[in-house]
Amino acid sequence: MLEAIFCDWQRNAINGRSSGLSSRLADIGTVRFVAVVLFRVSQALGRRWGPLGSAVKQINTVITGCDISWQADIAPGLVLYHPVGVVIGPNVWIGNDVTIQQGVTIGSRSPADVSGPVIGAGCQLGAGSRVLGDVVLGNQCTIGANAVVLKSLPDSVSAVGIPASIVGFSMNVSEDGEC
């Protein structure tokens, strides 16, 4: 868990700040980093005892405005630029170095659906976008604002619209490749 939090901290550093210790420590207090840390804590506790993970998840929702299930499987390097309104369901898998904007929903299409989306490494999800159902987003995909993804997408594409359709190729590249 601590390794994941350290990687999250590195990716959540605010651009334009110096890389000095005081600037890096200031990043710890940002709402976007607090949301990710509370998710990591809820996940660790939930694996030991589900109700405890759920309690920390609720605290995260109250403090940061995002609702991330402790059962979601999210790799290190998560960035939630503006975590308010972000909803990530329990059957979701998210790869390394994914960036999620405000108001994004990732989950199943209905409560009875036990399958969830798989989001590849290095993806960027625009504000208000939705990724629903048993779909796979390839690595390095960019999803436009308010797009609704209902079908799987290959690596390195950009998709927009309702339902989302491919409009080009994206060139998202992880900054350091280590997270």
Side-chain angles (χ1 to χ4, degrees):
M1 177 180 78
L2 293 178
E3 185 178 312
I5 289 174
F6 183 73
C7 187
D8 296 332
W9 177 47
Q10 288 179 312
R11 286 224 50 243
N12 278 278
I14 295 178
N15 294 332
R17 284 194 186 178
S18 70
S19 60
L21 181 60
S22 62
S23 294
R24 296 303 297 241
L25 290 175
D27 293 330
I28 291 173
T30 62
V31 70
R32 69 191 202 185
F33 184 65
V34 169
V36 174
V37 169
L38 286 173
F39 160 71
R40 300 280 181 212
V41 171
S42 73
Q43 186 178 52
L45 295 174
R47 288 178 176 162
R48 288 171 176 72
W49 192 46
L52 193 53
S54 294
V56 175
K57 170 198 166 291
Q58 293 302 327
I59 291 168
N60 195 3
T61 302
V62 169
I63 292 174
T64 68
C66 71
D67 183 354
I68 306 174
S69 173
W70 67 264
Q71 297 100 329
D73 189 356
I74 302 176
L78 177 66
V79 174
L80 301 171
Y81 270 115
H82 302 284
V84 175
V86 171
V87 177
I88 301 174
N91 300 317
V92 173
W93 186 91
I94 297 176
N96 292 336
D97 300 334
V98 170
T99 301
I100 299 173
Q101 297 287 340
Q102 67 273 14
V104 171
T105 299
I106 307 169
S108 59
R109 288 191 191 192
S110 72
D113 191 0
V114 295
S115 61
V118 173
I119 310 294
C123 288
Q124 295 186 13
L125 283 70
S129 61
R130 310 286 187 255
V131 182
L132 304 172
D134 188 16
V135 300
V136 176
L137 296 188
N139 297 327
Q140 309 297 328
C141 286
T142 299
I143 306 303
N146 295 314
V148 178
V149 180
L150 301 173
K151 294 181 180 179
S152 295
L153 298 172
D155 291 349
S156 302
V157 297
S158 296
V160 299
I162 303 172
S165 59
I166 297 172
V167 294
F169 295 95
S170 59
M171 296 296 180
N172 297 332
V173 177
S174 179
E175 295 164 4
D176 57 15
E178 293 181 17
C179 289

